Amino acid sequence: MSHTQSIPANAFTIRSPFGRRAIVLSIAAAVGGFLFGFDSSVINGAVASIETEYTKVPGLTGFVVAIALIGCALGAVLAGTLSDRFGRLKVMMVGAVLFLASSIGSALTFSVLDLTIWRVVGGLGIGIASVVAPAYIAEVAPRQIRGSLASLQQLAITLGIFAALLSNALLVASAGGTADNQLWWGLEAWRWMFLIGVVPAAVYGLLAFTMPESPRFLLARGRTDEARAIFARLVPPADLDKTLKELTTALETDRKNKGASIAGKALGLQPIVWIGIVLSVFQQFVGINVIFYYSTSLWRAVGFDESNSLLIGVITSVTNVLVTLIAIWLVDRVGRKPLLLVGSALMTLSLGTMALAFSFATGSGQDVSLPGAWGPVALVAANLFVVGFGASWGPLVWVLLGEIFPSRIRGKALGVAAGAQWLANFLVSWTFPQLADWSLSITYGAYAFFALLSFGFVLWKIPETKGMELEQTETLFVRKPKTKAKARA
């Protein structure tokens, strides 16, 4: 206990060497989140062109947009096992190579089939990054600032979304106002939208060469001296021996439970795994990615031209970045649970307002329009929805997924939870064009209903984990055994 008390009060501020080093490593790992955000929104500006040239119908368009998420789910499931076996950094490099190949292949696509294949390849890379990045950050971040650093994953996602939407808007402006016009090398603007993804993919891969391996992974491999050297740069000397001892003890426990499974009596899985899955599913079932995958088409449908629709998307993405920064500042001060509850409430209200606005819409499909003030009301409500999500469920689900699982199953459980997130994202992204063609009001009403359910789930099932060691947080989710008296009753 005396070791902990001797730690300087400012040891983990941005001005301290420990804080700076942890922040730098976390930012580097979070570039994987940037790739996810970029991939999520780069398709936004290309949807109309892809439908015109290749897919022709909304159902197939939705499938091509969403199929990347199947690759993401598979990559997420594989990443946990691969990173536990080969290390975090090697798996990061694999993810970077896959995304780079997908960016080039998608830009040079010549049919629905090969575009679908390249979308899956890119999804594999994104799925890998989605698991490895939060796991790496959780393993190098001191507990005092772990929540803030884990939130960098979501900040990177929002920055990736912003970069994709901004580059899309600039490319369309350069091409004379439409993504179908040719730019350099005879490639249309929408193809350049994909090709720009080569840049963040290359940066991610190069960063992986310069980062140290996760000290937890090194300890698990018996490379104690290397782990100690890395931790010596991340925690004060007074906390170094304590940190190594706790991790060594945790790893010894893991070895005793070698082959530990996520299987359990709760519908085939351990209850804690289901909590992670439900958190992941709710994060997607509120419909957040509809805003970033299809917003250009949506706002064109209610009266904005292509350039203005892309500009609105850029403004929305800037809002998303700003509120994510607020969440990072609040997560280790206010806590996880209060922010999630407030976010659920705001999402329910804003999505309900969008459902109401679109109940007054006239026309259908691409010819839908909102009369009078309902267009601006829907636009404001959409941005309030982004505020509610970006300040809560966006970053905090990643924080909790890095905290709640027991260390012996963390890699596997993270993979399953992230895989569930991608599958939920796939369902929402695939079905939206068809649901929107049927009824935007009912569609947004359904998303509002899931936002309301998310409020109840957090209130009922999620305890506060602020400021706790990873080994402590997992104990909060263990169901206490019934007393003998209750058992006899």
Side-chain angles (χ1 to χ4, degrees), residues 50 53-56 60 63-64 109-118:
I50 289 171
E53 190 162 346
Y54 295 120
T55 59
K56 309 300 182 184
L60 186 55
F63 180 78
V64 170
T109 187
F110 52 85
S111 69
V112 172
L113 178 60
D114 83 293
L115 177 58
T116 300
I117 292 171
W118 288 119

Side-chain angles (χ1 to χ4, degrees), residues 52 66 106 163 283 313 358 367 392:
T52 299
S106 297
Q283 190 197 48
F358 280 102
D367 299 320
S392 60

Side-chain angles (χ1 to χ4, degrees), residues 8 17 19 48 66 116 126 142 203 211 213 233 243 251 273 324 334 365 417 468 488:
T116 300
I126 298 302
V203 169
M211 296 159 61
E213 184 55 84
R233 298 177 59 80
T243 299
L251 288 168
V273 180
T324 302
V334 175
M468 293 184 176
R488 285 196 298 268

Side-chain angles (χ1 to χ4, degrees), residues 71-96 98 123-125 127-129 131-133 135 139 213-214 217 220-221 409-416:
C72 289
L74 180 58
V77 171
L78 292 174
T81 300
L82 292 176
S83 63
D84 285 343
R85 178 173 297 181
F86 299 109
R88 294 3 176 187
L89 299 185
K90 289 180 180 178
V91 177
M92 286 183 188
M93 293 173 195
V94 171
L98 290 172
L124 283 168
I128 286 172
V131 171
V132 177
E139 291 173 353
E213 184 55 84
S214 161
F217 173 78
R221 293 291 172 173
I409 61 167
R410 184 170 293 131
K412 295 176 184 176
L414 259 173
V416 170

